[in-house]
Amino acid sequence: MAQIIDGKKISQEIKDELRGQVAAWKEDGTEVTLAVVQVGNDPASSVYVNNKKKACAYIGIRSLSYELAEETTEEELLALIDQLNRDDTVNGILVQLPVPPQIREDRIIQAISPAKDVDGFHPENVGRLVIGEPGFVSCTPAGIVQLLKRSGISISGKRCVVVGRSNIVGKPMALLMLRENATVTVAHSKTENLKELCREADILIVAIGKPQYITADYVKEGAVVIDVGIHRNAENKLCGDVKYDEVFPVVSAITPVPGGVGPMTIAMLMNNCVASVSR
Ligand code: NDP
């Protein structure tokens, strides 16, 4: 019977550990502060931002909220980031993406001080990950490593296939698995013989953004499958990039959607906020 990797439980464990750490610091007079910036009021972004603020409140992190109008200019947003970079009471800065089209995302990512870049998107932090130096790591891939480790799944020496090469998930995921001594292959939309390649994986990590694309014939018997995708199906129910019911009987462990990777992303964001105090 396959192990269901419980992201809800593991993320709660992490949040409780962080809560203890933050409470101990508070007694010594150290406070952790995250600035959360949202431009416009895209409903999905508002849900994400609210969940992040709720997690901050649970852990004891002070969150400062900046809600800017949809028509905010790039210069205005850059000015706010500059102010937050200089503010010593602010440990972490998060600008909820996507930003409206008049603002260039890469300029915003690069303007945030690497020492306050709790999303781990700044090129300096990405570079640190590449050369194996400490820095902030993108939250979803960092959460997946925690899911594997805390579920007792060994990574070292394993054959890992990551499907997807986005800057936020696929690429940092591959680098992290390499850091954990897996033998890593990255697949993408131009990969030939994807099915055969995926079937070689001991650990298959899927982040392609296509509902239920990965069926049982992509998966080796006994493999571990991590499903990053999140979608709503025709019945308005959440599902992933993996056809769960079909793949479940084949694998040794799998993440469900919801309740797998999703909750880990916020837990690791909180982890980065706490880590930002020492940077
Ligand atoms: P992107 O759309 O940025 O990247 C998708 C990647 O998948 C690309 O590299 C693309 O290849 C590749 N791809 C697309 N189709 C195929 C295919 N048929 N075969 C092989 N590779 C393919 O998505 P993200 O990485 O941002 O996100 C992926 C999924 O994860 C989405 O469903 C997203 O909603 C979800 N997600 C969930 C999070 C969570 O917290 N649970 C957090 C972040 C994302 P190419 O580069 O060649 O175009």
Side-chain angles (χ1 to χ4, degrees):
M1 179 81 164
Q3 175 187 359
I4 298 172
I5 300 173
D6 190 344
K8 248 175 128 172
K9 177 168 152 271
I10 295 171
S11 65
Q12 190 60 44
E13 271 168 29
I14 292 173
K15 285 192 282 188
D16 286 335
E17 288 164 17
L18 295 170
R19 192 181 192 186
Q21 167 79 78
V22 169
W25 278 345
K26 248 182 205 157
E27 282 180 14
D28 298 339
T30 303
E31 191 156 45
V32 187
T33 301
L34 174 69
V36 182
V37 183
Q38 185 182 358
V39 186
N41 41 22
D42 171 63
S45 289
S46 299
V47 171
Y48 291 134
V49 163
N50 281 334
N51 287 341
K52 289 169 187 177
K53 287 184 198 160
K54 262 193 230 158
C56 283
Y58 180 78
I59 290 164
I61 295 173
R62 186 167 74 111
S63 62
L64 304 176
S65 196
Y66 295 86
E67 288 163 15
L68 308 185
E70 181 78 31
E71 57 278 9
T72 300
T73 64
E74 189 174 279
E75 284 62 37
E76 285 165 337
L77 181 55
L78 288 172
L80 173 62
I81 292 170
D82 184 51
Q83 177 200 319
L84 296 170
N85 280 343
R86 290 162 191 274
D87 186 340
D88 289 341
T89 65
V90 172
N91 307 102
I93 303 170
L94 182 148
V95 177
Q96 183 64 40
L97 301 177
V99 282
Q102 73 275 17
I103 300 174
R104 284 165 291 181
E105 202 167 282
D106 57 336
R107 286 208 60 196
I108 300 310
I109 289 171
Q110 289 172 29
I112 296 172
S113 160
K116 298 188 179 188
D117 168 40
V118 286
D119 264 332
F121 296 161
H122 191 284
E124 182 177 316
N125 283 315
V126 178
R128 284 174 174 272
L129 175 60
V130 174
I131 62 175
E133 277 188 5
F136 290 114
V137 177
S138 182
C139 300
T140 303
I144 291 169
V145 172
Q146 286 300 314
L147 275 183
L148 292 168
K149 287 188 170 174
R150 289 174 187 245
S151 302
I153 294 163
S154 68
I155 304 174
S156 181
K158 294 287 162 59
R159 184 77 205 272
C160 174
V161 175
V162 179
V163 193
R165 56 173 167 181
S166 69
N167 289 340
I168 291 173
V169 187
K171 281 181 199 156
M173 188 73 248
L175 289 162
L176 278 177
M177 293 303 275
L178 192 60
R179 190 198 259 184
E180 297 295 331
N181 298 315
T183 302
V184 184
T185 306
V186 184
H188 46 77
S189 67
K190 306 289 185 294
T191 297
E192 291 178 1
N193 305 323
L194 182 66
K195 215 176 260 186
E196 288 70 25
L197 184 73
C198 288
R199 271 208 299 261
E200 289 173 19
D202 302 311
I203 302 174
L204 178 63
I205 303 177
V206 187
I208 59 179
K210 297 220 158 99
Q212 303 190 318
Y213 190 87
I214 299 295
T215 48
D217 48 349
Y218 283 76
V219 180
K220 179 171 81 174
E221 180 93 39
V224 173
V225 174
I226 304 291
D227 187 354
V228 185
I230 183 142
H231 316 275
R232 284 204 181 268
N233 65 13
E235 294 94 53
N236 204 31
K237 276 178 69 182
L238 290 174
C239 69
D241 288 347
V242 175
K243 206 161 192 179
Y244 185 87
D245 293 343
E246 196 182 283
V247 169
F248 182 80
V250 180
V251 298
S252 62
I254 187 165
T255 56
V257 178
V261 173
M264 294 301 290
T265 301
I266 289 195
M268 296 317 287
L269 174 71
M270 297 298 111
N271 183 64
N272 281 351
C273 291
V274 171
S276 68
V277 172
S278 47
R279 276 179 215 281

